[in-house]
């Protein structure tokens, strides 16, 4: 896998994942160098290696506020998001929705759910990206102007959301690898209780 990692780094192609912070940390630790002690250094290394990251979970959260089809994005786990976008409603909610056809040797992925199998999860991430980017591309487009969309246009449209990786249960919604993180949602308060119910000295 080190060879694949090096090809990804060299190609500078978009790297996609779903809720992918741990995936990035694992790849860097195993195939590049030990993780740095400083957070800002970690961000710098990730961005140098992968200058175009697309996290479909973060993309889902960002587009939920912008799209008329927000009901499709109610659940953000990969399996539920894939199911919603694969459904009849997810397929026909926008004109010119791209279809995905499986090759003969991978037809199993078209017939079975194989979540947590690496190849299937990768397929689902690509599918979710394609459908989310298409919904964004068709926003505000009239039925007379709707046309199929090229992958390069999808990638341009999601640029404002790229290099932002979802951060679950953190003080911010995402880590921004190309710039400063958003402001913290927390107020900087720390509540301390004693374990025995006794008052604490100040």
């Amino acid at each position: 896998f080190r060879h694949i990692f090096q090809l990804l780094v060299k190609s500078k192609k978009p790297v996609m994942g779903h809720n992918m912070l741990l995936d990035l940390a694992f790849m860097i630790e195993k195939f590049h160098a030990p993780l740095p002690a400083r957070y800002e250094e970690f961000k710098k290394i990730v961005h140098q290696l992968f200058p175009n990251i697309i996290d479909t979970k973060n993309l889902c959260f960002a587009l939920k506020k912008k799209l008329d089809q927000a009901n499709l994005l109610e659940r953000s786990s990969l399996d539920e998001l894939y199911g919603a976008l694969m459904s009849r409603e997810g397929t026909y909610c926008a004109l010119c929705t791209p279809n995905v056809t499986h090759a003969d040797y991978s037809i199993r992925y078209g017939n079975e759910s194989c979540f947590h199998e690496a190849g299937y999860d990768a397929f689902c991430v690509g599918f979710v990206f394609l459908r989310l980017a298409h919904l964004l591309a068709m926003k505000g487009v009239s039925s007379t102007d709707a046309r199929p969309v090229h992958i390069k246009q999808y990638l341009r449209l999601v640029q404002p959301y790229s290099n932002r990786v979802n951060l679950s249960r953190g003080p911010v919604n995402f880590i921004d690898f190309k710039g400063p993180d958003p402001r913290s949602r927390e107020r900087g308060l720390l509540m301390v209780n004693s374990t025995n119910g006794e008052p604490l000295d100040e």
Side-chain angles (χ1 to χ4, degrees), residues 36-65:
R38 293 183 54 246
Y39 172 69
E40 290 299 328
E41 185 65 21
F42 171 69
K43 285 178 58 171
K44 182 179 173 185
I45 290 169
V46 170
H47 192 57
Q48 285 173 343
L49 294 172
F50 305 116
N52 193 359
I53 296 170
I54 300 167
D55 183 344
T56 51
K57 185 162 185 127
N58 183 67
L59 187 59
C60 169
F61 287 142
L63 296 185
K64 191 184 293 190
K65 302 167 191 161

Side-chain angles (χ1 to χ4, degrees), residues 12-24:
K12 303 301 181 198
K13 299 281 186 191
V15 174
M16 293 183 195
H18 190 83
N19 207 18
M20 62 190 292
L21 178 60
L22 292 179
D23 298 317
L24 290 168

Side-chain angles (χ1 to χ4, degrees), residues 6 84 96 162 171:
Q6 290 166 345
C96 303
S162 68

Side-chain angles (χ1 to χ4, degrees), residues 51-180:
N52 193 359
I53 296 170
I54 300 167
D55 183 344
T56 51
K57 185 162 185 127
N58 183 67
L59 187 59
C60 169
F61 287 142
L63 296 185
K64 191 184 293 190
K65 302 167 191 161
K66 295 182 176 290
L67 297 175
D68 299 332
Q69 302 88 349
N71 61 310
L72 291 171
L73 311 182
E74 286 299 314
R75 304 287 176 127
S76 64
S77 68
L78 183 58
D79 58 336
E80 291 173 310
L81 188 55
Y82 171 76
L85 294 170
M86 180 71 172
S87 70
R88 181 174 175 76
E89 182 185 358
T91 300
Y92 294 108
C93 66
L95 295 170
C96 303
T97 299
N99 273 331
V100 174
T101 305
H102 293 277
D104 291 340
Y105 57 83
S106 64
I107 200 70
R108 181 171 74 101
Y109 285 175
N111 298 329
E112 297 176 33
S113 291
C114 306
F115 287 102
H116 306 296
E117 186 174 300
Y120 188 73
D121 283 357
F123 155 69
C124 290
V125 166
F127 181 92
V128 165
F129 165 77
L130 194 59
R131 288 287 169 94
L132 289 175
H134 187 73
L135 290 175
L136 186 59
M138 290 294 113
K139 181 175 171 52
V141 175
S142 70
S143 59
T144 56
D145 293 331
R147 302 281 183 277
V149 181
H150 193 277
I151 187 67
K152 288 182 179 177
Q153 186 178 349
Y154 289 141
L155 292 171
R156 275 194 302 273
L157 284 168
V158 301
Q159 272 306 304
Y161 314 102
S162 68
N163 295 306
R164 294 178 174 181
V165 173
N166 184 65
L167 183 62
S168 297
R169 298 179 186 90
V172 294
N173 293 329
F174 58 84
I175 295 173
D176 191 336
F177 285 102
K178 66 182 174 206

